[in-house]
Amino acid sequence: MNLIGIVGTNAPTSTNRQLLQYMQRHFKNQATITIQEIADFPAFDEPEDHRAPVGIAELSAAIAAADGVIIATPEYDHSIPAALKSLLEWLSYTDRPLIDKPVLVVGASYGALGTSRAQGHLRQILDAPELKARLMPGAEFLLAHSQQAFTADGDLAKPEDAAALDEYVAQFLEFVEITKQLLKGRSVQTQQHKQFAWDK
Ligand SMILES: Cc1cc2nc3c(=O)[nH]c(=O)nc-3n(C[C@H](O)[C@H](O)[C@H](O)COP(=O)(O)O)c2cc1C
């Protein structure tokens, strides 16, 4: 199982990056998680040729080849950071690699609600026809007070957080397999979505 873990921020220090690093280590026997930074990507600017900058095109190819994607989002002003929104705009405007791709949303924030509002927005965005990710329904993982959530070794400090994440990821690994089965033979619909354009 090959997964891409997107750090949903361009901040140099990030508890969401720590969360993905923990997941990469902790779940290494179940999945290979490749961590993807977004800090060097330019802000989306709607180029007329619909071509992504090199780094984003490489990420699109990696997503297309992966079994699934994990997005770890902070919460800024009750939504996702602009850098993450910009990446999603690039993906939706260019190669659209998230169409029918199983996606797991996680999030860590300093507040008590652990990105619940940002995750709600992110799910809404990922459901846009040009993104059309296959989001795992019916469960969420919210890491509240994230500055206190990790030990010095980078493990989750609270056993209940670790147990909740174990359960969440186990569900996702099953969801990836189920989604693959469900989508067999659905390439026509995928092509329609890939060809959709706002500027026709
Ligand atoms: C501009 C700004 C807005 C923020 N808004 C929220 C918010 O609405 N809710 C929240 O829980 N934390 C908020 N925070 C605190 C973030 O949770 C924290 O800065 C951080 O982004 C958590 O993710 P990170 O450690 O990966 O950077 C905000 C921080 C900034 C800089």
Side-chain angles (χ1 to χ4, degrees):
M1 179 78 68
N2 281 308
L3 305 176
I4 307 287
I6 297 176
V7 181
T9 175
N10 54 0
T13 60
S14 160
T15 53
N16 282 280
R17 186 176 295 112
Q18 273 183 284
L19 176 59
L20 281 177
Q21 287 165 345
Y22 166 78
M23 292 174 76
Q24 186 181 49
R25 231 172 350 100
H26 185 73
F27 297 110
K28 67 176 187 299
N29 293 333
Q30 289 128 286
T32 301
I33 300 175
T34 304
I35 295 181
Q36 173 69 49
E37 296 288 345
I38 66 171
D40 292 336
F41 295 158
F44 176 67
D45 61 357
E46 202 175 341
E48 283 181 8
D49 64 2
H50 284 250
R51 292 185 68 156
V54 174
I56 292 172
E58 285 170 359
L59 172 57
S60 279
I63 290 173
D67 296 298
V69 173
I70 303 169
I71 303 179
T73 184
E75 181 165 299
Y76 283 176
D77 303 324
H78 295 182
S79 189
I80 64 172
L84 176 57
K85 183 64 165 57
S86 173
L87 170 65
L88 295 173
E89 288 161 2
W90 275 117
L91 298 180
S92 77
Y93 190 68
T94 59
D95 299 323
R96 301 189 174 154
L98 287 174
I99 290 179
D100 287 341
K101 191 63 62 177
V103 171
L104 187 75
V105 171
V106 298
S109 76
Y110 298 174
L113 300 180
T115 70
S116 67
R117 289 169 290 209
Q119 288 196 31
H121 273 179
L122 181 55
R123 284 174 176 271
Q124 199 178 353
I125 294 163
L126 289 167
D127 207 27
E130 317 88 288
L131 287 164
K132 198 174 176 275
R134 297 284 167 169
L135 284 156
M136 189 174 80
E140 57 190 5
F141 179 75
L142 311 166
L143 189 61
H145 304 299
S146 60
Q147 285 173 302
Q148 292 83 42
F150 296 94
T151 67
D153 294 332
D155 291 327
L156 284 170
K158 289 188 189 165
E160 58 267 34
D161 284 339
L165 188 59
D166 284 355
E167 168 71 26
Y168 191 54
V169 169
Q171 280 186 49
F172 182 63
L173 298 181
E174 264 184 31
F175 177 75
V176 170
E177 296 300 343
I178 291 167
T179 304
K180 269 187 203 162
Q181 296 299 318
L182 275 176
L183 293 177
K184 268 187 186 163
R186 296 288 301 277
S187 58
V188 172
Q189 197 197 13
T190 301
Q191 282 312 314
Q192 278 173 359
H193 279 92
K194 286 212 185 267
Q195 283 155 15
F196 170 86
W198 287 107
D199 50 7
K200 261 186 192 155

